[in-house]
Amino acid sequence: MKQILAALLAMLLLAGCTPTQEPSSPASEPESQSSSSAPDSGEPVSESVPEAPAGPVIDPAGQPNQPTEEPSSDQTAASWWETDLSPESLVAEIDPNLGFVTCGTPEGQYYIYDDAAKLSWSGSGVFAVSEEAAATDPAGLFNGAAEIQDLGARILPDTFFEIVTKDDTKVTGRLYENGVELIESLPGSGYGNTVKLALTPENYQTLQQNLAASRTAADERGWYYPSWLTMMKESRVTELVFSTVLEEGKGREPSTGVETRFNSSNPWPYYVFDDLMVEVTGPAQSTDATSLPGASHASVTFNNGLDYSIDLTDSQLLVRTNDTEGGLLYSTRFDTNVFEKTAQGHLNPPTGKPVIYLYPTEPTDCTVTVDYEPFTYTYPAYDDGWQVTAYPDGRLVNKADGTEHYYLFWEGGARPDWSFDSGFVVAGADTEAFLREKLAYLGLTPREYNDFITYWVPRMQQNRYNLITFAADEYEALAPLTVTPAPDTVLRVHMVFLPLEQLIEIPEQQLTPTERKGFTVVEWGGTDASYLLPDSDR
């Protein structure tokens, strides 16, 4: 798995759980001016900062703070930056075989901390990372660093790097002739501690080389993520709203507005933030536009009162904030209607639509349980299991309310560490034909694999390539299925896939068909495992 992820990192970057870069401002500012008053959480702010601010600095909450006093060079106790950049702050018991672990916050949100993806580069309002930068140990870069007063002139003025700790503290770094300046921020607050550091010559050279490699890799790849968007953190958001207008037709007259609102009364699932990670083709253009015609909309309210207003069409992305005059307009990478789907309440958890079919040889009362958490939706309602009467033709009658179904539906939000020791790399355009062949071979009937294809192919065909594996033992451990009375045949097909930008080589998975005999239980489902990719956060 570690080798697969290392190969994937070299060829693509997907937005993910751990934000890693700083936003840019809708309104450009001269180098001599101070930063925007947007919160340091991914809200648009200027990349420029005063070299030597005179008088109070305005923090993102709009409150004046006195400039941070330069730390003494003979300080003996651990400085804030030594604590923030220690291995204990950056890495949580990394599995040496996987290279990362999944962690939970006290609020129950999940992030992936990747020991190969802590250091990230951003410039011109877009985010990029290279294999070299990702492979750098951020804590190790600051071994032997010394606090100094004079950094000389700033270099690479449109470039900065970000390091995010386990407790969501962000450290932003800017490069100077004689070293780096680090600025600390905490969730919900603005710029805090500042320090100037001279690195060892070897570490400073490594840092500069890796940042340059990131920029080159992103330019060659031709797509990015807006740095202001990727840096947005759930810990700093109080409300998130998706809205759209459904056009006339399909029983709607006239056009109808719909929205889904997440806040303390209706907390968002952690994966909802993935819907905001829109790929773009380059830096933004400043604009006076206040909206995009025909766009779906997302608004984000931060805990200091600042608001994002985001419009998305199939070709453009517009962001505005309530503390700036202009906006930022991006060209998007490919058609998307994710805001529209989320506004209608169609959320996209990683594990989607496992459905269970029961085919007894005669009408049979059955109990069906899946030992899994967290469920995000079940149909019919799962109440410590489903109690149904199953018929040989596949009909199911739910005993709780008498409703009729032809399968039991569930989906969930777990993010397991799937292995890709073997599998298949399939062009997006060939996904439908591939799945039709493999699913039939595994033992699904045309009705079953048609249901599978119509659900999953629309989520996969736009990818350049898909890395696909069919999980067996891992899936059984993740979601044990129990049916009473015990069936004669159980066929569980769970596809796990990763989107790829380029072909990779992987051992072909050997599949074994299942012969259906007697009372047969069939389940199919899948997982979009993009969250496993470094810096996916998804």
Side-chain angles (χ1 to χ4, degrees), residues 74-92:
D74 59 358
Q75 191 171 359
T76 56
S79 301
W80 64 265
W81 61 270
E82 294 175 305
T83 300
D84 286 352
L85 301 181
S86 67
E88 294 76 18
S89 296
L90 294 177
V91 180

Side-chain angles (χ1 to χ4, degrees), residues 388-431:
V388 298
T389 301
Y391 294 85
D393 63 359
R395 288 183 301 122
L396 304 173
V397 176
N398 185 28
K399 290 189 173 184
D401 56 12
T403 56
E404 185 172 310
H405 309 265
Y406 76 93
Y407 56 61
L408 305 172
F409 172 96
W410 67 272
E411 65 179 16
R415 292 191 171 193
D417 300 330
W418 303 103
S419 63
F420 289 85
D421 298 327
S422 62
F424 309 88
V425 179
V426 183
D430 298 334
T431 303

Side-chain angles (χ1 to χ4, degrees), residues 147-162:
E147 299 181 18
I148 64 173
Q149 297 292 327
D150 183 13
L151 290 177
R154 185 172 177 184
I155 61 175
L156 301 176
D158 67 340
T159 298
F160 51 87
F161 62 90
E162 298 290 357

Side-chain angles (χ1 to χ4, degrees), residues 19-24 36-45 60-61 162 164 168 170 172 185-191 227-238 273 277 300-308:
T20 45
Q21 65 288 321
E22 178 158 337
S24 62
S36 162
S37 60
D40 189 24
S41 62
E43 298 81 336
V45 297
E162 298 290 357
V164 180
D168 215 19
K170 186 186 73 171
T172 300
S185 66
L186 300 172
S189 64
Y191 291 118
S227 53
W228 62 269
L229 194 61
T230 319
M231 195 56 222
M232 188 160 38
K233 296 183 180 181
E234 296 171 73
S235 63
R236 306 181 183 194
V237 173
T238 59
F273 263 66
M277 304 306 170
V300 185
T301 301
F302 293 88
N303 56 10
N304 67 349
L306 187 121
D307 296 321
Y308 274 0

Side-chain angles (χ1 to χ4, degrees), residues 40-303:
D40 189 24
S41 62
E43 298 81 336
V45 297
S46 169
E47 294 176 11
S48 301
V49 294
E51 300 296 333
V57 176
I58 304 300
D59 76 7
Q63 300 299 319
N65 291 319
Q66 294 301 319
T68 303
E69 185 175 316
E70 288 291 341
S72 171
S73 59
D74 59 358
Q75 191 171 359
T76 56
S79 301
W80 64 265
W81 61 270
E82 294 175 305
T83 300
D84 286 352
L85 301 181
S86 67
E88 294 76 18
S89 296
L90 294 177
V91 180
E93 297 181 4
I94 295 298
D95 185 325
N97 296 316
L98 296 176
F100 60 88
V101 294
T102 302
C103 302
T105 70
E107 295 76 21
Q109 301 163 345
Y110 291 87
Y111 297 87
I112 290 181
Y113 293 102
D114 189 333
D115 67 341
K118 286 296 190 310
L119 181 65
S120 302
W121 167 93
S122 186
S124 302
V126 290
F127 166 69
V129 69
S130 71
E131 182 179 16
E132 291 84 357
T136 301
D137 169 22
L141 277 177
F142 295 92
N143 289 339
E147 299 181 18
I148 64 173
Q149 297 292 327
D150 183 13
L151 290 177
R154 185 172 177 184
I155 61 175
L156 301 176
D158 67 340
T159 298
F160 51 87
F161 62 90
E162 298 290 357
I163 301 172
V164 180
T165 72
K166 290 187 298 185
D167 68 356
D168 215 19
T169 296
K170 186 186 73 171
V171 178
T172 300
R174 294 176 170 85
L175 278 67
Y176 290 79
E177 291 177 319
N178 301 323
V180 298
E181 179 185 46
L182 301 182
I183 302 172
E184 180 192 46
S185 66
L186 300 172
S189 64
Y191 291 118
N193 296 313
T194 302
V195 67
K196 298 175 181 178
L197 296 176
L199 308 185
T200 66
E202 296 79 7
N203 286 346
Y204 195 45
Q205 183 180 25
T206 298
L207 177 62
Q208 293 184 69
Q209 290 174 341
N210 292 349
L211 296 179
S214 289
R215 182 167 196 163
T216 300
D219 291 342
E220 291 176 349
R221 187 175 57 236
W223 56 270
Y224 317 79
Y225 288 95
S227 53
W228 62 269
L229 194 61
T230 319
M231 195 56 222
M232 188 160 38
K233 296 183 180 181
E234 296 171 73
S235 63
R236 306 181 183 194
V237 173
T238 59
E239 186 168 70
L240 178 61
V241 182
F242 292 87
S243 59
T244 193
V245 175
L246 303 177
E247 301 300 329
E248 293 185 25
K250 297 183 179 180
R252 294 185 297 272
E253 186 179 357
S255 298
T256 305
V258 296
E259 73 171 28
T260 297
R261 183 178 299 268
F262 300 100
N263 49 35
S264 59
S265 300
N266 181 34
W268 53 83
Y270 64 88
Y271 51 79
V272 166
F273 263 66
D274 294 347
D275 294 344
L276 295 170
M277 304 306 170
V278 179
E279 296 170 12
V280 299
T281 57
Q285 301 295 320
S286 297
T287 179
D288 293 331
T290 58
S291 62
L292 296 177
S296 296
H297 185 75
S299 62
V300 185
T301 301
F302 293 88
N303 56 10

Side-chain angles (χ1 to χ4, degrees), residues 424-492:
F424 309 88
V425 179
V426 183
D430 298 334
T431 303
E432 178 184 316
F434 168 84
L435 289 175
R436 185 167 55 247
E437 173 193 349
K438 297 303 182 185
L439 296 175
Y441 177 77
L442 288 168
L444 298 188
T445 66
R447 182 178 76 165
E448 293 161 357
Y449 66 65
N450 286 337
D451 286 345
F452 186 109
I453 287 170
T454 56
Y455 181 83
W456 281 107
V457 169
R459 301 163 183 254
M460 303 170 67
Q461 63 184 355
Q462 80 277 6
N463 300 327
R464 191 165 297 172
Y465 298 97
N466 292 298
L467 170 58
I468 297 171
T469 190
F470 293 94
D473 294 343
E474 287 179 300
Y475 182 64
E476 292 292 344
L478 173 70
L481 171 67
T482 303
V483 179
T484 306
D488 301 300
T489 304
V490 177
L491 171 58
R492 306 186 80 189

